[in-house]
Amino acid sequence: MDAPEEPLPPVIYTMENKPIVTCAGDQNLFTSIYPTLSQQLPREPMEWRRSYGRAPKMIHLESNFVQFKEELLPKDGNKALLTFPFLHIYWTECCDTEVYKAAVKDDLTKWQNVLKAHSSVDWLIVVVENDARKKNKTNILPRTSIVDKIRNDFCNKQSDRCVVLSDPLKDSSRTQESWNAFLTKLRTLLLMSFTKNLGKFEDDMRTLREKRTEPGWSFCEYFMVQEELAFVFEMLQQFEDALVQYDELDALFSQYVVNFGAGDGANWLTFFCQPVKSWNGLILRKPIDMDKRELIQRQEATLLDLRSYLFSRQCTLLLFLQRPWEVAQRALELLHSCVQELKLLEVSVPPGALDCWVFLSCLEVLQRIEGCCDRAQMDSNIAHTVGLWSYATEKLKSLGYLCGLASEKGPNSEDLKRTVDLLAGLGAERPETANTAQSPYKKLKEALSSVEAFEKHYLDLSHATIEMYTSIGRIRSAKFVGKDLAEFYMRKKSPQKAELYLQGALKNYLAEGWALPVTHTRKQLAECQKHLGQIENYLQTSSLLASDCHLTDEERKYFCQEILNFASQQTDSPGHKIVLPMHSFAQLKSLRFDPSNAVVHVGGVLSVEITLWSQMPVPIHVEQIAANVHFSIEKNNHRKTAEWLTKHRTSNGIITFPQEPAPFPASQNSLPALELSEMSERSPSDHSLHSTGIICKNVHLLLRRQESGSSLDVPSGLALEDGAHALRCSRVTLEPGPNKVLFRTQAREPGTYTLRQLCASVGPVWFVLPHVYPIVQYDVYSQEPQLHVEPLTDSLLAGIPQKVKFTVTTGHYTVKNGDSLQVSNAEAMLILCHAENRAVIYSNTGEKSSDASLRVQSSGRVTSISLPAAPAYHLIEFELDVLSPPSAPAARGNSDQPAQRGARWSCPEKPTASHCMVTTDHKLSIDCPWSIYSTVIALTFSVPFQTTHSLLSAGTRKYIQICVQNLSELDFRLSDSSLVDTGGGADLQLVPLNTQSQQRVHSRQSVFFVWELKWTREPPPALHCRFSVRFTPASEEQLSVSLQPYTYEFQVENFFTLYKVKAEIFPPLGMEYCKTGSLCSLEVSITRLADLLEVDKDEALTESDEYFTTKLMYEVGDNSSNWAVCGKSSGVLSMPVAAQATHRVHMEVMPLFAGHLPFPDVRLFKYLPHHSAHSSQLDADSWIENDSLSVDKHVDDAVDSSSVKSRGCVHSAASTEHRGLPMPRLQAFPPGQVFNSSTGMQVFVIPSKEDHVLEVSVT
């Protein structure tokens, strides 16, 4: 049964490796089944559950079925997984008991003994059933007997390790079911073996890794062990897990290198510190580089060998995972890290060797990726590969500089020797790339062969890299590559080609704020401009470098001397000027005006002192510093006085200028601050929070493209302004640091002067500050003489002396001795003259010049004020006292409100409950010596008092009350109050009831005066009165002038008492007091107190045979709702016009509350009948009796003196409800004609004794 033994072939590590499964028993049987088995086994995936909580995976199982040999079983200490047999299968199709006993059983026993000897427990016995053989042998036992015997003999506790495969070569459902069961069992056993053996291998590997701190631990040995695990994962097509193993090895080695650099080195690292002798780059064109693997296994690999092999394996797995762009990313990181690791390990590397290795590796990675992707994929993923192109370009440039291929003269003998050594280190070209025309090896060898070839390859790589960077929007990186190109062109003495790239790099550095690269690039640009003969650009760059603090003092002085040397040379055209920006030469720090308000009159002198900060390293002799000024005349310039200009100018006269832009205008630090605000969204229904977040308010400023902000150092359109107005200062030496420069000018023409430019000339070189910001202006004014009169208080009070301030602005006029102001004032107002009046003279800056006595003479209505002598553009100020009469306008009628006829009211800024003050205007006409026209000024005086009067009655006795209210902010003393009848009636006396001769009235307070009226015969129908009182301010003890008294005139009409109304309330019969809810009797008595008077003669008067009568209407009501009037509450009665004629009215009222209740209101009106032309007019009495409720309904409850007319209107409106019916009119009596003696009286009401239920709700 056993085939002759053959020697084992060596293990070849390729992707075709599969898990090994040995086959013992009938080999011919297995050979017939093998094609079907190899096809069916990987068809269905199986779930592989691994230890340590790792996620399960679905894998397709494949196996390498080999003949069983004892040599295949692993020996002790052999940890190779690729040659490890994971499962052992014994095949038999024995169906005869005799044959089983004679041969099969012994063979199975020998097979199992070998497995037990090597501790292998992963085995399976397959019994194949063939119906054809059963038909040929009729004496055989049933199949189950053979299977049972095998299970009893070999599978005591593992009966599932013996399976039956029925007719495997037939196509039937029974065969398919048998195959499915067998394949499921086979996959399950394989996965169990994988899990068990891989878990044991991982545990051993982990144990080995934990011993890495022990002496004698070797990274190379551990590397081979963990790579064995990676091979198994790769064999199972689990490329991600295989990649993890290599990444762990990479991280472990990198950490050891970093620790070595920190002083904590491992002994085994010395093997990787060998000098580099070969630099042939990465090898990525075969799955496994066996040469480098053997070097690692023998511990003879260098650092570059280990890194190359490790990355080649990672690259292979990444390409299988279809992640080629990650290969490019990892390759760039690897190349940079290898350079650093060689420095940390202090590995000896020949000059240029590492550049060759990096260049070859970059191209190898790029070609390997190009072999896996089409052109469209490469173009769309340039962002992943452009880094490798750029790194390869940089290394090729370094090799060209090293080998003398970038110089103008070409390489010398030493450069050639170095080139030969570098090419020797590349070795022979690898066979896999020997037939490739554009292999990295051939490209490098060709580039180093000649100057022309190097230039071609370098330019091709540089332009390709710039194009790639530009296509993906990485403009900054493209500019950096361009700067390297510029350096190459400068080495080749081609400055015209280098200038464009240097300008682009400088622009990018400026936009991003890189100070040191800006300085370095400017130095290169200056050299380039000097070679090209660009004088103006060279001088500008030199000025920037001379002020650059990143250069040494010697370098700064050199560039400064370059400018001075050019300035000292005699040019062919003397008028030619070279204009350069000033910010690199000097900076304007501050400016100070004298006078400080920057306002000067025509003919005045203005000084401007500027502070310049010189940025040059040496003193500079400047021929001239000029400030060009723009002159403008505004439309309303003639209205701008010195006072107006002073209010609109700075107070200290110092203007500080912000820091001028640095050489880089838009650095990261100069960006605006981030402005964030909270944003939330709530539900409109329940106001619950839906979402919240943060928004940026100034995103338009932060995300603005910075590169297009400023192009280059030179502002476009820089030019000198030749203006007629300029401030100049000659022969100035600017020392390094701050310098003060003083300009002086005399104002000649009025207008506004704006500082536009600042220029400094050093020979033909002019440094110009094109715009001065913030705006600097000074004003020259020419002012007409003016007179201004204003009170010193918020309002002038009539009746007491008030101070008025006169301000004379001389302007261009010179006041001479004898000049005076002629003031023509109204007769009512006086200008008071005092000997101590003085005038103060101020300069136009507000400083006091002098003072002089003021002479004031009054003659009638004209007052002459002599002015002191004063020069032009000065101010003369003096104060005078004015006095206005205090009388108030006359008032009429008996109302408590003051009359407003002919008066103007003025309310204070802080209104109170009191009324506003009455004001009067007085106009002054002033003749000035500088004008032929008169100046008219109006002064407004306010009467400090408001006076009201009222008529009081007590039966037939009459009193007049005067209320004086102080509306001003001052306190006054009142004295000598009097009230006289201006009508001249001898039988009328006014008896004062005031006891005090003087009274003090405070601000916003009132004082009352009372007089009693007494007469001996019938009083007149109207009384004309005049009230007067003297007043003085309470704060002043004595005044130099006598003040006029305050007067108030008014008129009182119809003040005699005609009727007396008296009301009485009686309790019910048998009761002592009124009780709530009980009807009480109300008796109203109306008594006539005088015979017929002139005031009674109206339309209500009726003449009879014996006497005159008049119709009255009474009305009883209670506005306080204390009484309920039962029955008729109003009525019309006919009253005889005779003294002591009395009419009584009885009615019932009911008290609604207990206590002392005031009497109900009783009102009395005149009842005027309605006159109509119709003869069929209804009688008024009968109409009132029939419609009394209607009349009572429409009459207001509150009838006073101010509502008589409105009451009549109400009745007229009510009459529209009764068309065709005449309506009477009601007229109220004037105050004083009706005296109600019951006003203020009260009646005592007791509560009723009925019990009531009080409901109380407690919550």
Side-chain angles (χ1 to χ4, degrees), residues 32 183 475 775 938 1105:
S32 63
L183 290 174
I475 307 299
I775 297 175
D1105 296 336

Side-chain angles (χ1 to χ4, degrees), residues 835-855:
E836 62 273 10
N837 287 338
R838 300 189 67 84
V840 183
I841 303 174
Y842 297 94
S843 65
N844 61 341
T845 59
E847 299 177 358
K848 182 178 179 181
S849 297
S850 62
D851 60 350
S853 61
L854 193 69
R855 190 160 52 90

